Every structure is written in structure tokens, then in C-alpha cells.
Amino acid sequence: MSGRPLVTICILAYNQEKFIREAIEGALNQTYEPLEIVISDDCSTDQTYEIISEVASGYTGKKSIILNRNKKNLGIGAQINKTMDISHGELIIANAGDDISLSHRVEKIVDGWIERGRKSFSIYSSMTVIDEKGNELGRWAWPPTQDMSSVTRMIESNKWRIHGCTHAWHR
């Protein structure tokens, strides 16, 4: 593992008590090391932060966990900026409080980034869309099947977008 970059998963939560436990467990179950997990609650009005605290306090593994609870709701942009300020990873991997990551997510992203010379600034991947019961609804993958030969065609197709739950970026 020596020489592997520190990576941060930022779990950004707001009123996601129904899914936050699974989102955190998905981060804790990552096969990649060294991994830092920043869990940021944007002043939820439900039990999201209590669940975050419970799961984090019960964790005894090697991964570093940083908890943040905003005193007022900042919104997504400011919440991302706050997590950037308190995180340390060379790569940042976005994860909303209702996103459940497969255990190899971070490892696959980092391996691909390293294989390509660590040159990418923004990285994204495919995703499986599930419903509230975990039933698979479909898959989104790059590249889309439409002609994406120009920016105009990408915009017109409404298919070319980076989904937050698949996004990673270099600090």
C-alpha cells in the first residue's frame, strides 16, 4: 500500500435518515487504503446526524473518520467547500447521504487514475440506479450511445452529465 495516495470520501447529508446508515457502511467497507471518510451533515432536521454519530462512534477500523455538522443549512456548494477545508485526501470522492457505494468503488477509481498517470482532474463512473427498496431500476454508463461529437450535441441530448454519486476530483 505504500505510495498509494490518501483518498477522501465526502458523504454529504441532509435529511437522509432513511439511507445514511447504508451510505456510511458503504464507505467504511471500501477495500482501498489509505482512506479518510468525511461525513458532513448540513443541519438536518430529522435523525440523520444522530445516526451518523451512532455509526461513527461504533466504528473500530483503520479508516479515519471526520464528522462535521453545520450549525445552519449551507446548501450543496458551501457544504462541499466546507468538506474540502476539513479533508486531506489527494482525491476527493463525492457521496451523498443516499448513495450506497460498492466496496471496490474507491479502489477502481484510484487504480484507473494511477494507470493514466494521475493526470485527470475530474473523474466519473457508471452507476446503478435503485429504488428505496434496493431494486435495480437501470444503469447509467459512459459513453452515452448518442452522437457526442460536439458540445452542442451533448447539451441537446441531455445525456451528458456528471452525476454527483459518480464524481471524484483531484484536490
Side-chain angles (χ1 to χ4, degrees):
M1 290 294 171
S2 71
R4 309 264 300 162
L6 175 64
V7 174
T8 301
I9 290 183
C10 289
I11 300 176
L12 307 171
Y14 177 69
N15 287 348
Q16 292 164 315
E17 66 184 4
K18 189 170 183 179
F19 304 103
I20 191 64
R21 183 179 306 276
E22 286 180 279
I24 296 169
E25 289 170 355
L28 294 173
N29 290 328
Q30 290 300 302
T31 57
Y32 182 83
E33 290 182 15
L35 184 64
E36 170 185 79
I37 302 167
V38 173
I39 309 169
S40 180
D41 178 69
D42 201 14
C43 197
S44 291
T45 58
D46 64 2
Q47 295 297 303
T48 298
Y49 189 73
E50 288 73 17
I51 296 167
I52 290 169
S53 297
E54 174 191 328
V55 175
S57 67
Y59 178 68
T60 59
K62 293 190 236 176
K63 294 172 180 67
S64 168
I65 299 176
I66 298 171
L67 296 183
N68 173 64
R69 184 176 198 187
N70 297 328
K71 293 180 183 184
K72 66 177 191 166
N73 184 274
L74 301 178
I76 189 71
Q79 186 180 25
I80 289 171
N81 289 340
K82 175 108 182 209
T83 60
M84 290 299 294
D85 288 343
I86 62 176
S87 65
H88 306 93
E90 186 174 350
L91 281 180
I92 310 297
I93 298 181
N95 199 106
D98 61 354
D99 296 339
I100 304 165
S101 294
L102 298 175
S103 63
H104 61 273
R105 177 185 182 200
V106 174
E107 191 162 3
K108 294 267 187 189
I109 290 169
V110 174
D111 287 348
W113 180 66
I114 290 172
E115 286 171 14
R116 287 160 187 82
R118 298 179 177 212
K119 294 178 184 175
S120 300
F121 173 78
S122 182
I123 304 162
Y124 52 98
S125 60
S126 61
M127 69 178 179
T128 301
V129 181
I130 59 174
D131 66 15
E132 291 185 9
K133 295 179 181 177
N135 299 313
E136 190 172 322
L137 301 177
R139 188 164 173 79
W140 181 90
W142 183 258
T145 56
Q146 290 78 19
D147 178 11
M148 298 292 144
S149 59
S150 73
V151 173
T152 302
R153 287 195 177 152
M154 288 181 201
I155 293 168
E156 288 171 349
S157 75
N158 199 27
K159 295 285 185 188
W160 190 88
R161 61 175 72 130
I162 298 173
H163 294 276
C165 62
T166 72
H167 197 198
W169 60 89
H170 186 267
R171 180 171 293 283

